[in-house]
Amino acid sequence: MCGVGASPKAAFAATGETTERRAARRSLKGQMRVVETIFASFVILFAIFFINAFTPTPSSPAYEVSDLERLGENVLQSLDEQGLLSQWVYTESWGNLTAALRVLLPSDVHFNLSIYDADGNLLNQGTPIQYGNPESFSNSRFVASVTYVLPGYQRTYEPRVLRLQLVGG
Amino acid sequence: MPGTLYDHIAAIVVVGAVFIFGVVVLPSTSYVNMLYVDQQQLRNKALDVLKVMLLDAGRPEDWGAMASFNQNHVERFGLALSKSPSFYVLDPDKVQRLVEDNPLGYVEYERLRDLLGLQGYGLSIMVKPVFNVSVQDLTPGQLNNVTYEVSVAYRDMKPVPNALVKALVLYSVKVGEEDGDAVYATYCAEEELATNSLGRCTLQKTLTGEVSYVLVVWSVKVAEVTVSTATSKGGAPEDVARVNMIGDYVVLTKPKTIPNGAVIIQDITAVTSEGELVLLYNGTGEDVLNWGSLDEWSKEFPGLKDMNPVLIILDATAPEEGSGRRGKLVAGPPPTDLGSRVLSYGGAPLGATVALERAVEISGLNYVFRLVLWAES
């Protein structure tokens, strides 16, 4: 029953208008959902790009440094076992030391060797025992440092501290 | 309602397109990061493999010196010299098993990958000298007046001045005839040189007599680190015999070459890491290498391995086409040129690779062990 006193024609006229408006509203909602979805997808993508751009790439600095340390220790120990390290350090044969390190270390490894006495005085000042670009030590994230101690030479107690820095070139 | 339906279809299509776009674009923008992770993982794998190869003696511990070598009897792979007090000292017998076409047997590439658990990976190995020594023959074909130019350079190709070069010139000279066969004797001349500022020096020698073969053993020393190599002229040494050393045994093998004729062993000499000659054996005239049942000759020299010989030199006479029997000098174990122990072993690198190097000691000399690893899939 349409209501007391209301004519069917009037009621139909009222209902038809509401349906059209509802359909239009639904259509608008559907379109907006599409637009919202697109915006949401772009937001998610941009968020992922943003995170990727600023997240540091995973690396294992411990591995590179420990690898270089092992390399340096191996070379110094090898020279020491042959009696050459003591001989060259105590006779200040820096040229021989440089040449030996250069042939025994890989050509893409830069090194810098400093030799100190027991009081901490740098003994090879003015004659660097090094190979490669000195800036690579300051620019690289992975600089390995090996400390090797020689107690003395020819039955004389006279310690020498060797500090070998290594970096991949 | 039809309008809403179209809207939802359009939404699904657009979302699908954005999703696919994200799946395709995202990996490519992260490619650099993923590549770095892959490289890091490959490097970690290479470090582990290198550690096993150089620090483990393998099982059995003397697998390199097995008589009648069979790679299937190698249970665990490792090149370290067993019972050595130092690290990175390799067993020369085991390193020799990486020389492909070693007539005494070698570990094949696929077997090595199985032993190291490297399925899906490829590797190549080189054992090369710590600095480069190249020898150029400036008088090819001449046996009486020999001139060589020696160049010494670091691995980054920079020349090494004041490198000490010691040359042992061994030459075989015809001294007479006996029963229709020529008789040869071997002489030795020694010379010491030093490289100039360009890392070069020249050896010039005049050899008297009817020289049939010249073998020069070079010992080059830079800061007490020695590289040893050998060059020869007067014929291809591999046509005469192949010289190998297993443990305390010297093993000679005869390749199938023309002309086929008996190689008569005159003497066998060892070269130490100091470049000194040590006579091991004087041939009796009955020591013969030939095809068939005599294609292998071996003799034990107790204490030979402990002497750390760098080279073994075979002094022999062998037939030569059109020239009769001539004196020959053969150095081994191969490879003897360029100072390398293993010229190339393994596969051809594919795609992104990781290369690692370590200084190692073999028979008292320093070498560079280079491993290149890559992922095959």
Side-chain angles (χ1 to χ4, degrees), chain A residues 35-89:
Chain A
V35 172
E36 282 166 11
T37 312
I38 294 169
F39 278 141
S41 307
F42 278 124
V43 166
I44 292 168
L45 279 172
F46 280 132
I48 293 171
F49 292 156
F50 184 81
I51 291 167
N52 265 333
F54 288 95
T55 304
T57 54
S59 65
S60 57
Y63 224 133
E64 275 85 358
V65 169
S66 68
D67 186 35
L68 287 172
E69 283 173 357
R70 232 187 333 256
L71 204 60
E73 278 167 16
N74 165 227
V75 167
L76 290 177
Q77 195 178 6
S78 173
L79 288 173
D80 197 15
E81 280 175 356
Q82 295 174 61
L84 297 171
L85 191 63
S86 299
Q87 180 187 333
W88 290 335
V89 166

Side-chain angles (χ1 to χ4, degrees), chain B residues 211-228:
Chain B
V211 179
S212 69
Y213 207 89
V214 179
L215 173 74
V216 184
V217 178
W218 307 92
S219 295
V220 182
K221 205 181 264 195
V222 173
E224 303 298 325
V225 179
T226 305
V227 167
S228 213

Side-chain angles (χ1 to χ4, degrees), chain B residues 223-253:
Chain B
E224 303 298 325
V225 179
T226 305
V227 167
S228 213
T229 181
T231 53
S232 60
K233 55 199 285 179
E238 56 272 12
D239 288 347
V240 177
R242 184 137 169 182
V243 179
N244 271 295
M245 198 184 103
I246 304 283
D248 287 339
Y249 283 83
V250 171
V251 182
L252 308 175
T253 51

Side-chain angles (χ1 to χ4, degrees), chain A residues 41-53, chain B residues 17-35:
Chain A
S41 307
F42 278 124
V43 166
I44 292 168
L45 279 172
F46 280 132
I48 293 171
F49 292 156
F50 184 81
I51 291 167
N52 265 333
Chain B
V18 169
F19 177 77
I20 291 168
F21 176 78
V23 166
V24 170
V25 169
L26 204 61
S28 60
T29 58
S30 301
Y31 179 70
V32 171
N33 285 352
M34 286 168 63
L35 186 66

